[in-house]
Amino acid sequence: MGWIGTIIVGLLAGLIGSAIMRGGSMGWLKSMILGLLGSVVGGLVYSLLGAEAGESFWPQLVVSTIGACVILFVVGLFRKK
């Protein structure tokens, strides 16, 4: 999957992650940007574990969504209420 596909998967993972991690609503744009960051982090951690999501859409979306949820959770911990 090329760069544009990866960016689209990351943004989609951000939206899915924000829906999963309800309660820390930061707005859709901020969630998508954090999801993109989570996508990168999720892919790096996944590759460090010796696995590879491949070039397929669905495995990348799952890994990216998990990474986005983790990033959104961590950011939610540090946000002022």
Side-chain angles (χ1 to χ4, degrees):
M1 189 174 292
W3 282 98
I4 294 175
T6 303
I7 291 171
I8 291 171
V9 167
L11 296 175
L12 185 59
L15 288 176
I16 294 170
S18 67
I20 292 172
M21 303 298 291
R22 281 189 263 172
S25 178
M26 294 178 242
W28 62 272
L29 184 62
K30 198 179 279 187
S31 293
M32 286 173 54
I33 292 170
L34 288 173
L36 189 58
L37 176 67
S39 174
V40 171
V41 170
L44 287 174
V45 170
Y46 198 67
S47 67
L48 287 175
L49 294 173
E52 187 175 321
E55 294 292 318
S56 181
F57 174 78
W58 293 109
Q60 282 191 357
L61 183 62
V62 169
V63 170
S64 297
T65 302
I66 292 170
C69 287
V70 169
I71 293 292
L72 289 170
F73 176 75
V74 170
V75 168
L77 289 176
F78 291 106
R79 264 184 84 205
K80 292 184 180 180
K81 300 250 175 190

